């Protein structure tokens, strides 16, 4: 009989102890079964399941069993009681945003959407916590940098397993919203973006900026060396494209930190279809990317740049700073992205994508952000780029900027 079968038998009150067993053997058998049951119960979504389990066990009349059960029964954990019911409603709008990093209106909207999510509706009633509990647990974890499951479990009066399950579930829920929240601009939106960048830095057909950032993670179980970036940190690459409003219009996450930005771009879904996406427009990028008709990068400073070319690089940098600010705001709002403590690359990718979705849904003025630009050093591309071809693309823009500046 397997341990699982033993658990079922004990819970139903059947006799597992043989009359031929001595006292020590009986104790060992009972402790083994009860320990297994406790381990099973600890993975439940609710502490109430423990009470159901113990009530079923107490059907047995074996005094020996009751003695062992009294020793092994786990005590209720001390935790904050009714935090969501009694404390959260007393928060002002400012306090709520400071703790959960989003506005109350966005929080209520997320709860409503979660209630209509098919996966959530299919959950067993005894395993389903309220929409408010699910969203608040996730927001608390995402918004705090040094936040452990144990801290969250104590604050929300949940088991450690439940905290992990909620974070994984809501990560998947928000990640599934990315196609409708993080989407490429329409023709009208492209026109407005181009007008903004023309007024700001004289790039009259720019519709966004592209760059990559690194999310520090714990070393994975395999292939750790692939995730070590140039700074020696274990990281995951996030490629982002943002518009003038510092909102993502495209993201790509999942490549190990050792990968160069140009490699990530080339292997991203948008990398080979940029002409289709951009049409008559282009993106602004740094020197890590190849320069072409749809992606404008600065002139490589070899010590012989003309005054016009230097001015071109300055204007390009002033426009491209949008993506640096976007990454800075994203990480300041969801501080877990400074060092994500989740385990499993797939789970981490869903979590990062979920944070990007929330970034797009939230208003920039929800929180007071410090002026921060990501500290990623520019990676020079190692490819033998066709410089003359890049200049063919850049030179007319360089001339246009010079004329506008004069």
């Amino acid at each position: 009989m397997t341990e699982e079968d033993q658990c079922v038998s004990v819970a139903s009150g059947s006799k597992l102890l043989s009359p031929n067993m001595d006292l020590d053997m009986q104790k060992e058998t009972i402790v083994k079964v009860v320990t297994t049951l406790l381990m099973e119960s600890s993975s439940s979504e609710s502490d109430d399941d423990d009470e159901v389990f113990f009530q079923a066990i107490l059907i047995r009349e074996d005094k020996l069993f009751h003695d062992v059960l009294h020793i092994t029964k786990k005590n209720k954990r001390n935790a904050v009681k009714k935090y969501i019911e009694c404390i959260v409603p007393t928060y002002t709008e400012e306090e709520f945003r400071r703790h959960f990093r989003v506005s109350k209106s966005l929080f209520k909207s997320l709860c409503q959407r979660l209630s209509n999510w098919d996966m959530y509706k299919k959950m067993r009633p005894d395993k389903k916590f309220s929409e408010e509990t699910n969203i608040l647990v996730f927001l608390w974890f995402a918004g705090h940098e040094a936040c452990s499951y144990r801290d969250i479990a104590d604050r929300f009066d949940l088991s450690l397993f439940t905290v992990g399950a909620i974070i994984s579930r809501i990560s998947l829920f928000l990640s599934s919203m990315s196609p409708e929240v993080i989407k490429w601009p329409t023709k009208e939106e492209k026109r407005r973006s181009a007008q903004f960048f023309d007024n700001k830095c004289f790039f009259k057909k720019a519709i966004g900026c592209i760059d990559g950032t690194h999310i520090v993670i714990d070393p994975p179980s395999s292939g750790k060396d692939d995730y070590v970036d140039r700074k020696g940190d274990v990281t995951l690459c996030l490629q982002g494209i943002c518009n003038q409003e510092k909102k993502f219009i495209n993201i790509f996450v999942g490549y190990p930190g050792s990968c160069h930005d140009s490699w990530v771009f080339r292997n991203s879904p948008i990398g080979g279809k940029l002409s289709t996406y951009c049409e008559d427009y282009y993106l602004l990028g740094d020197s890590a990317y190849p320069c072409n008709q749809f992606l404008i990068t600065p002139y490589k400073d070899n010590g012989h740049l003309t005054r016009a070319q230097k001015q071109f690089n300055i204007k390009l940098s002033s426009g491209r700073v949008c993506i640096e600010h976007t990454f800075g705001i994203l990480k300041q709002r969801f501080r877990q992205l400074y060092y994500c403590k989740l385990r499993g690359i797939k789970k981490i990718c869903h979590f990062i994508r979920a944070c990007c979705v929330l970034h797009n849904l939230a208003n920039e003025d929800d929180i007071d952000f410090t002026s921060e630009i990501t500290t990623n050093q520019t990676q020079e591309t190692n490819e033998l780029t066709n410089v003359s071809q890049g200049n063919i693309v850049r030179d007319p823009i360089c001339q246009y900027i010079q004329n506008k500046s004069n």
Side-chain angles (χ1 to χ4, degrees):
M1 181 182 292
T2 65
E3 289 185 352
E4 183 177 355
D5 292 333
Q6 289 180 344
C7 293
V8 174
S9 299
V10 171
S12 62
S14 64
K15 302 290 185 179
L16 287 177
L17 305 179
S18 170
N20 299 327
M21 289 183 179
D22 57 23
L23 187 61
D24 291 338
M25 182 66 71
Q26 292 184 40
K27 286 183 178 180
E28 182 180 350
T29 301
I30 294 176
V31 170
K32 183 177 181 180
V33 173
V34 173
T35 301
T36 303
L37 282 164
L38 290 175
M39 291 176 64
E40 291 292 326
S41 67
S42 67
S43 65
S44 66
E45 293 267 344
S46 172
D47 289 337
D48 293 337
D49 291 344
D50 298 337
E51 295 302 323
V52 174
F53 155 66
F54 285 118
Q55 288 174 10
I57 293 298
L58 290 174
I59 296 175
R60 294 180 54 87
E61 297 180 355
D62 298 352
K63 184 178 184 302
L64 176 60
F65 189 91
H66 283 253
D67 291 341
V68 177
L69 182 62
H70 178 74
I71 297 173
T72 57
K73 181 175 180 178
K74 59 181 182 180
N75 297 322
K76 281 289 186 178
R77 183 185 70 253
N78 290 325
V80 178
K81 302 300 181 183
K82 297 188 179 299
Y83 173 71
I84 295 177
E85 295 84 350
C86 299
I87 300 178
V88 172
T90 66
Y91 287 155
T92 64
E93 181 70 26
E94 182 181 354
E95 289 173 331
F96 187 89
R97 292 179 181 182
R98 186 167 63 247
H99 286 303
F100 298 105
R101 319 304 288 170
V102 299
S103 65
K104 285 186 176 181
S105 60
L106 177 55
F107 162 68
K108 293 177 181 178
S109 175
L110 292 172
C111 291
Q112 180 61 39
R113 296 195 63 156
L114 178 61
S115 66
N116 297 321
W117 189 38
D118 289 341
M119 187 176 295
Y120 181 76
K121 290 192 293 186
K122 292 177 181 178
M123 291 181 63
R124 285 170 44 187
D126 59 323
K127 300 292 184 181
K128 183 189 295 186
F129 286 88
S130 68
E131 296 89 346
E132 290 78 10
T133 300
N134 279 268
I135 299 298
L136 290 177
V137 166
F138 178 87
L139 291 176
W140 188 278
F141 174 76
H144 293 78
E145 184 174 1
C147 183
S148 67
Y149 280 15
R150 191 172 301 279
D151 294 334
I152 301 176
D154 287 345
R155 177 171 293 273
F156 292 91
D157 194 14
L158 301 170
S159 68
L160 296 177
F161 178 86
T162 300
V163 172
I166 287 177
I167 292 173
S168 297
R169 183 184 307 120
I170 302 305
S171 294
L172 182 59
F173 161 65
L174 293 172
S175 178
S176 67
M177 292 169 53
S178 60
E180 60 180 286
V181 177
I182 303 175
K183 54 186 178 181
W184 201 253
T186 62
K187 290 185 178 181
E188 178 59 25
E189 290 170 339
K190 288 179 180 178
R191 187 192 64 78
R192 290 200 300 267
S193 297
Q195 183 63 46
F196 170 85
F197 283 106
D198 189 15
N199 295 335
K200 179 179 176 64
C201 54
F202 305 144
F203 284 86
K204 61 181 179 179
K205 289 189 176 182
I207 58 172
C209 311
I210 182 173
D211 201 3
T213 189
H214 291 253
I215 310 297
V216 180
I217 62 174
D218 283 331
S221 57
S222 61
K224 172 186 173 181
D225 293 343
D226 294 334
Y227 291 85
V228 178
D229 63 15
R230 63 189 182 280
K231 296 180 181 179
D233 298 322
V234 180
T235 61
L236 208 60
C237 294
L238 167 62
Q239 174 184 281
I241 304 175
C242 75
N243 59 17
Q244 77 282 3
E245 297 175 346
K246 302 183 181 67
K247 300 296 184 182
F248 291 109
I249 58 177
N250 183 270
I251 62 169
F252 179 64
V253 60
Y255 265 65
S258 62
C259 296
H260 191 276
D261 280 354
S262 62
W263 175 259
V264 175
F265 170 73
R266 189 187 314 122
N267 289 276
S268 65
I270 200 173
K273 301 179 181 179
L274 201 57
S275 59
T276 304
Y277 281 92
C278 289
E279 298 175 330
D280 295 330
Y281 298 91
Y282 51 72
L283 302 175
L284 304 180
D286 60 20
S287 56
Y289 298 97
C291 182
N292 56 51
Q293 182 181 351
F294 307 103
L295 179 53
I296 306 301
T297 63
Y299 288 98
K300 186 173 182 179
D301 190 356
N302 54 10
H304 302 285
L305 293 183
T306 65
R307 180 179 179 182
Q309 290 172 336
K310 291 179 180 179
Q311 189 177 36
F312 172 93
N313 286 356
I314 293 173
K315 289 296 183 180
L316 175 61
S317 178
S318 68
R320 199 187 61 79
V321 77
C322 277
I323 186 62
E324 303 289 358
H325 287 159
T326 302
F327 284 140
I329 292 172
L330 173 70
K331 291 185 177 182
Q332 283 189 63
R333 183 186 295 274
F334 304 112
R335 304 185 71 85
Q336 185 68 210
L337 295 181
Y338 283 119
Y339 189 161
C340 185
K341 301 299 289 185
L342 293 176
R343 290 282 187 171
I345 299 302
K346 185 176 180 180
K347 185 183 296 185
I348 295 174
C349 289
H350 279 302
F351 175 78
I352 295 172
R353 191 177 295 111
C355 291
C356 292
V357 167
L358 288 177
H359 168 88
N360 273 21
L361 293 174
N363 295 323
E364 185 179 347
D365 57 359
D366 279 348
I367 305 174
D368 293 330
F369 298 101
T370 59
S371 179
E372 175 178 310
I373 297 180
T374 54
T375 57
N376 291 328
Q377 300 173 359
T378 299
Q379 304 176 41
E380 295 290 342
T381 178
N382 294 324
E383 298 175 344
L384 296 177
T385 307
N386 190 328
V387 177
S388 60
Q389 183 178 357
N391 288 342
I392 292 174
V393 175
R394 285 184 290 237
D395 287 346
I397 302 175
C398 181
Q399 184 62 45
Y400 174 78
I401 293 175
Q402 186 178 27
N403 294 338
K404 294 282 287 187
S405 300
N406 293 337

